Structure formats: structure tokens, C-alpha cells
Amino acid sequence: MFLMGTLLAASAVTAVVAIVVVLIMLNHPPLPPARLCALIALALFSSAVAVYCYGWFSVTLGGPFPELCESGNDDGARLMVIKQEYWPLRSACLYSDGSTVEHVSMPINAFVCLLAASALFSTCASVYLRKRNRRSSGVTS
């Protein structure tokens, strides 16, 4: 739990610092596009890690649902166990009659995937721009 808390804090701070640096870069041209894309990728990836850690804590500490599992279901079956999975982030209530009630934190999962995919795209764009810049500077020299 300490490791996830540390990771949450570090990724949140990294995301904020990367966003501030991007904003500073936008206000002071000339703007190197490869570095800008790399910083955007860092901000997006750090945000994805922070959101995932938040979701992890949410699942570990009982989920974003006020009453995660009731002691019995509508048919009178007793709660046997609460099963937690960390990817995708979800909690499942397993009852004695074999029924299961799942609580899936879909917005968190979708947001993490969106941020990670955007970070990957931005990283690829940064690599492409850097290679293109090196190729064009090598031809003119």
C-alpha cells in the first residue's frame, strides 16, 4: 500500500510539473516539436499512472460504491467472499448460492486506457519528429 501511495504521489507531481513545463514552452517560442511531444507524453503517462493508482486505492479500500457488498442478496444467500482484481479494476461479491455481483470501475479503466494510448501516440510522434529533424539537418549540412 505504501508503494502505491508513493507511486500515486510521484506520478501526480510528475504530471503537474510536465504540464507546467509544456505551458511555459508554449509561451516562449521557438518551440521544438519533438521535445513538446515528449513532455506531453510524460504528462499523459504520469496522469495514467496516477489515475490507475487512485482506482487501485478505490478498489482496495472498498470501491467507489457506498455499500460495496451486502451481507445477503435478494434471494437470501449469504455473502461468502469479496474478490478484488486490479486490472481491470473491479470488486466482485460472491454469494453462497453461486451468484456474483460485480462492481466495475469502468470510467477509471477507460480513462487510464485513453491516457496511456494518448501517451503512446505522443511518444511515437516525438520519435518521428526527432528522426525527421535529424534527417533534414543531416541533408542541409
Side-chain angles (χ1 to χ4, degrees):
M1 198 162 219
F2 175 75
L3 177 64
M4 286 305 251
T6 304
L7 190 59
L8 173 63
S11 59
V13 168
T14 303
V16 168
V17 168
I19 290 169
V20 168
V21 171
V22 165
L23 292 175
I24 290 171
M25 286 177 72
L26 289 174
N27 288 332
H28 299 290
L31 197 61
R35 287 186 182 167
L36 181 65
C37 285
L39 278 170
I40 291 171
L42 178 64
L44 290 168
F45 179 73
S46 298
S47 299
V49 171
V51 170
Y52 177 79
C53 290
Y54 165 77
W56 186 90
F57 275 113
S58 179
V59 167
T60 302
L61 300 175
F65 313 99
E67 292 93 20
L68 181 64
C69 293
E70 302 198 13
S71 59
N73 65 7
D74 294 337
D75 296 332
R78 304 224 9 102
L79 177 66
M80 296 295 289
V81 68
I82 298 174
K83 183 179 176 187
Q84 296 174 331
E85 292 183 21
Y86 297 103
W87 190 258
L89 295 167
R90 73 171 146 207
S91 296
C93 309
L94 305 172
Y95 292 96
S96 60
D97 65 353
S99 63
T100 303
V101 177
E102 287 192 0
H103 300 283
V104 180
S105 185
M106 201 47 110
I108 292 174
N109 288 332
F111 196 52
V112 167
C113 289
L114 179 68
L115 287 172
S118 299
L120 180 63
F121 176 77
S122 186
T123 301
C124 292
S126 176
V127 169
Y128 171 77
L129 289 171
R130 177 164 273 174
K131 284 184 179 183
R132 189 182 76 175
N133 190 19
R134 282 185 184 160
R135 227 179 300 135
S136 66
S137 65
V139 171
T140 58
S141 294

